[in-house]
Amino acid sequence: MRFKLKLCSAMWLCLAASSGAAAVRAADAPVIASSTKAVSWDEHSLMINGHREFIWSGEFHPFRLPDTNAWRDVYRKMKASGFNTVALYFNWGYHSPAPGAYDFTGIRDMDLAIRMAEEEGLYVIVRPGPYINAEVSRGGFPGYLARQTGVARTMAPDYLKEADDWLTHINAIIARHQISRGGKVILYQVENELFDTSDEHRRYMDHLIKKARADGIDVPLFHNSPNSLPNWVPQGSETYYTVAAPGLDLYAFDGYPGGSCNEKGEVGAHNPAPNNGIYSTTQPQIGSLASPKTPGFAAEYGAGWFDYWGSVGNYECNAKRLGPGYVRTFYGANIINRVTIHNIYMAFGGTSWGWMPASVVYTSYDYGAPISETRQLRDKAYTLKQLGQFTQAAEPLLTHMDKAEPLYPTSDKVKLYHNAGPAGHLVFAIHEPHDGMGDDAFKFRLTTKAGSYLIPQQGTLRLKGQDAKLLLADYGLERQKLVYTTSDLQTHLQQGATDIALLYGRVGEDGETVLRFKTKPKVEVIEGLATTVYDAKTGDLRLNYQHKGLIRLRITGDAAPLLLLIGEDAETQKFWRQETDKGPVLQRTSAIVKGAVWDGERLNLTGEGQTAEAIEVWATAKTLTFNGTPLDAHSTASGSLLTSYLAEPKAVVLPDLMAAQWTIRWDSREADPAFDDSAWRVADLKVSAATVPTQPPPGQPVLAMSDYGFHQGDVWYRGRLTARTTQKKLELTYGGGAVGLVQVWIDGRFVGQNELPGGFTYPKIPTVGKASFDVDLKPGTHQISVMVRNMSHNWDLFANEEHKEGRGLISASLSPDETQRFTTPITWKIQGQGETMDPVRGTFNNGGLYGERKGWHLPDARPDGWTPANVTAAPPAPGTYWLRTAFKLDLPKDVDTQLALVFGDPTQTKTDRHTRVLIFVNGWHAGNYVSNVGPQNTFVIPPAFLNPNGANTIALAVTTDGKPGNALEGVKLVDMRQAR
Ligand code: GAL
């Protein structure tokens, strides 16, 4: 991570500078017995039920997709994109509103989240914390931890009591899904990125490890060491620099070396892909060499980056920066470095709806991930599919290879890495240095079982721009002998008598593939251009071609007939593969094929398409269906079935919200001196659990909201005071998280407001602010009302209690002059959203606005008290008002329609308007809009928030200083994506 590198640069850089030879790897290290027979490992790979597996995984957070049907969609898209594993964080605070209270129902059903992944054929890596970071408020800790005095992530008894309770609950769910019990959970992460390896943290880690085992967790345990640091290795691997944790089975590291777009929204210069495994040359070894007896394991490897309040809106840019070229170079480097457990963060980012986001992010957590927030596959998802299919097809080679003799390219601008194992050779070609962007042609000599070759023999092999190639030699391509190829392999399979192989390369680049035969094979070019040369002496059949379109060759030799498909990226990226009862099947289409299930001789395909498209299918099927619709198909010369075109989904008609009838209702009642606060809690605590800088000053009561059990969103304070002299200055210290807000009224008159900025600066975005107001309070009694909007609690990235930084008011001082020497005491009462929750929408849904406390956001809110309004009319007064409308939807059935709400002009990331909106859709808090900060003004609505065929409501809680120029801009309902 960029900011973490800065932090530990002293140590990290000095370690990296003292370079030395790569550590000697124990070549024939024995297989280490796992705690369960189901999952074992050696230094090469994990073995699941004795079978070596390449774990190609992507991260998904069920809590960021509050729609259980959509979970399945994401899993299926991940599977279709070549992943065989999903890694899940579990967010403690999402399930637990109060000590001892847990909820795993509805969208919080984590048993279902795991079960669905299993049903979709994915292995599961679980990451239950207790701390998870994940850019969620308090890093996943529940609100009530912010009122504990014991230090979190240590052996402090109050912390451990609650942490153990959480683990007892979540471990019970996880345990029954372990592979050893017939499920698909294969690995369990203990805690998250503990930078500090103090004795206290070691004891804590030991406690969590023992707790997991006591709760019946029998799969291997690991910790994700931040920044590829060599810590938390299994016992026996520790070195002078390395801390071991007895009881951990595997070592894993996290790395975000790809960086992110700059603050201007530019891709910027690419970073070099590091060697995080067997080719690491730093001392001590970073990445997987820190633990030479366990498989290379990237617990998190960047697949995008999060974005911050006030940015220029970098998700699309991050998706480009960490795009196809990044995937090939960085993940390719991991593959050659033998990182055989590879989890990318995130596969799908989703939405930090409600009060979920930490201060470092806004509502959208799109992340620039391969699957966008609207569940669209981005370009790099297709590159990932090519690599994912490769890791599965070439699994025997990739999961059992070692460094082989060095190869010397003819260009010093190219670097070759060479591994070999029982299943063949793998050559990784990348620029030298690794961030090179040139157009570099090269040749190299490789000795294979079939002889020694200067490759390529004809045409040009090149690396152009951000690119890398994973090339095979001496490889068993089903029943064929592949001598070598300068194309990348995507997949291969057998269908009855025929072998099928799919190779790819950059459009227009030359390729050369050599296959070995005993006798001269027959070569038919079905489509495209390729030249063939057969050398009767050696038996080599050499194919030369350009990667252009899709070349189809049928080669009939002494083994099985081979259908060889060679394409440019765009063509082979249209290939989908599934494993069925009758063996693997293959399709070519620009639709997404998510599943293939046999019904007798009929193959039922499921998936989604957005435009009209045909499907070509390789399967021994008599008939085909797609999403239940029978398809007309005819056979082709390639041995496939080609279907008729699928119809495009029809455009949906959405209501025009600007033309809808809206009603308005005033909220900030607490500003009225006559407001009845008799039932409110007196702020009388003397000691706060907040961190030191946010403790109350001597003599003042604790005001921080969390000490009173109010944790998120809006919190109100009402104070009473008697002034003996005229008071001129009111100073407030308040905690609001990034983009927090305070509004103040005295005796019913608005005094002013103060806003915390957005931004992403290290070490910390200002999350606590000082607000100073000039007042003129005559001697006598006065009433003061303060609303603080707590946008978020900090995370606890460095285990330094940052999440306990005070929120709400921290202190208030009213005085006759600037010196603040003589302050007038104020007695305060406090009100907010307590440690309860909406039983359906959960604990992050609401804060403590008056209207929220009264249920005005809910679809069944009573109509009385609301009057007709114009959405864009000037605010009635400073404070918060609600706007509400009802509308009907009639979305086409069987079409996945992803809607969003757009405020103002979606092409602008911020405006001059100081307008904030809490967005409620049928009572669900879909997100927070802050017009003057941005960048987000398009809010993806999780489909389950809407009634697709019937009545819906939108309620907007709009907060301003009352100036007409801060009125709400227009709001629209838009269609982001449709798939049938
Ligand atoms: C990692 C952390 C994750 C997430 C990620 C950045 O360091 O483990 O939880 O915060 O960084 O998105």
Side-chain angles (χ1 to χ4, degrees), residues 303-317:
W305 191 245
F306 58 84
D307 202 21
Y308 55 91
W309 284 107
S311 82
V312 294
N314 259 342
Y315 285 137
E316 286 307 330
C317 184

Side-chain angles (χ1 to χ4, degrees), residues 1 4 89 132-135 192-193 256 300 306 345 367:
M1 295 169 73
K4 286 189 202 168
Y89 263 147
I132 59 169
N133 208 50
E135 291 75 72
N192 194 84
E193 289 199 344
Y256 292 82
E300 290 176 30
F306 58 84
Y345 188 103
Y367 217 82

Side-chain angles (χ1 to χ4, degrees), residues 681-689 695-703 707-708:
R681 165 80 202 249
V682 178
D684 54 0
L685 293 176
K686 302 264 180 317
V687 182
S688 172
Q695 285 285 331
Q700 278 202 25
V702 171
L703 295 177
D707 290 296
Y708 297 97

Side-chain angles (χ1 to χ4, degrees), residues 907-920:
T907 64
Q908 302 299 314
T909 54
K910 57 194 73 147
T911 73
D912 295 336
R913 295 176 193 232
H914 290 248
T915 317
R916 291 156 177 263
V917 185
L918 311 187
I919 307 160
F920 292 94

Side-chain angles (χ1 to χ4, degrees), residues 69-70 72-81 120 375 377 576-578 587 589 591-597 604-609 626-627 896 977 979-980:
N69 288 329
R72 193 179 295 282
D73 183 48
V74 168
Y75 288 148
R76 301 191 90 197
K77 282 180 175 151
M78 286 181 64
K79 191 81 201 295
S81 307
E120 295 307 327
R375 288 174 290 117
L377 296 192
W576 309 90
R577 173 183 172 143
Q578 302 83 26
Q587 306 87 31
T589 173
I592 301 172
V593 185
K594 300 186 212 162
V597 176
N604 295 322
L605 302 172
T606 47
E608 68 174 53
F626 188 79
N627 291 342
D896 178 358
R977 185 181 71 86
R980 53 131 222 252

